[in-house]
Amino acid sequence: MADKNHPINIEVGDGAAIPVKKDKGLVNAWSISFIGAIGCIIYLCMSDPDMYWEVLKFLPDGVLVTFQVTIASIILSLIIGLFTGLGRISENKIINTIASTYVEIVRGIPLLVQLFYIYYALGRFEFLQISELPSAIIAMGICYGAYMGEVFRAGIISIDKGQGEAARSLGFNKTQTMFMVILPQSWKTILPPVGNEFIALLKDSSLVSILAVADILRRGREYASVTFSYFEAYTMVALVYLVITLILSKAVSKMEERLNYYEGY
């Protein structure tokens, strides 16, 4: 029992270090680009509202279509990529060969050619005829599914084999080990390249305008073909794409920060 004249000294340590988010400052490349793009749009619309403001009012429908194509394509590519990645690391030679062949073939053909092939070439067969928008989503999903497959494969093999062995020793079967132990841990490795592919897919979605899908570029082209204001139309299209991609890149960056927060990055 402690003596009143000699109390027990209890040393209080610093405890577990709590990571503090680093202040990266308000002025950086992203903020300069984003404020610059927004400033250019506002300045152009105020300086020549009859031209630039009219173009800007013409684009919202295209923005919605672009988001529709991008989100549907990214979901499809993630599903294809997950199964492709699992196939690439499968010990079953047939499954591994099918997944690897798919990746090699799709990565070797330009996206624009795949768009034409699915919409025009396969449209020769009556039972494969589908409209422009589904064709664009399927083509982009298949194309980016190959790249996503490599992302998933790299993320999965980055996890130490001991994690899988430990899960198996606890009674997990292969499927449970993969979806409850390996994939959750590999997500930190997978997320950054998935975010990059997401942004790349958004920009490549402009290719679907070639199939008459009314995305941002198509809407800008339609405006320019009527008014012959090509400079004004494509300037606003470029600025709108820039603003959207900058917002997405910031969202991906924030997600990475949240995932890395408790590692004291």
Side-chain angles (χ1 to χ4, degrees), residues 95-112:
I95 295 176
N96 192 302
T97 301
I98 292 173
S100 301
T101 304
Y102 159 70
V103 172
E104 295 298 332
I105 291 175
V106 171
R107 288 198 309 181
I109 301 175
L111 174 57
L112 185 59

Side-chain angles (χ1 to χ4, degrees), residues 129-146:
Q129 289 180 353
I130 48 180
S131 59
E132 299 87 353
L133 187 59
S135 297
I137 293 171
I138 292 171
M140 298 197 70
I142 291 175
C143 180
Y144 273 85

Side-chain angles (χ1 to χ4, degrees), residues 106-248:
V106 171
R107 288 198 309 181
I109 301 175
L111 174 57
L112 185 59
V113 177
Q114 295 180 44
L115 284 166
F116 280 137
Y117 194 84
I118 289 178
Y119 183 64
Y120 291 110
L122 295 183
R124 175 183 178 183
F125 306 100
E126 187 174 352
F127 66 99
L128 290 177
Q129 289 180 353
I130 48 180
S131 59
E132 299 87 353
L133 187 59
S135 297
I137 293 171
I138 292 171
M140 298 197 70
I142 291 175
C143 180
Y144 273 85
Y147 295 99
M148 293 292 186
E150 291 301 275
V151 171
F152 275 102
R153 183 182 68 86
I156 292 170
I157 63 176
S158 69
I159 302 302
D160 188 87
K161 290 183 178 178
Q163 296 290 320
E165 294 172 354
R168 298 298 300 276
S169 67
L170 292 173
F172 287 72
N173 58 36
K174 285 187 176 181
T175 304
Q176 290 173 327
T177 300
M178 179 57 65
F179 285 93
M180 298 177 68
V181 178
I182 303 298
L183 281 175
Q185 294 186 68
S186 65
W187 187 241
K188 290 180 181 177
T189 305
I190 292 172
L191 181 60
V194 165
N196 291 333
E197 294 295 337
F198 187 27
I199 295 170
L201 194 152
L202 171 65
K203 292 187 291 184
D204 281 348
S205 69
S206 62
L207 292 173
V208 305
S209 64
I210 205 73
L211 302 183
V213 175
D215 69 330
I216 299 174
L217 180 58
R218 179 75 181 186
R219 295 288 288 171
R221 187 186 300 171
E222 288 174 355
Y223 184 88
S225 63
V226 173
T227 63
F228 300 102
S229 304
Y230 291 98
F231 178 80
E232 293 81 2
Y234 290 126
T235 298
M236 293 305 291
V237 167
L239 289 171
V240 170
Y241 268 118
L242 178 58
V243 170
I244 294 173
T245 53
L246 286 171
I247 292 174
L248 287 177

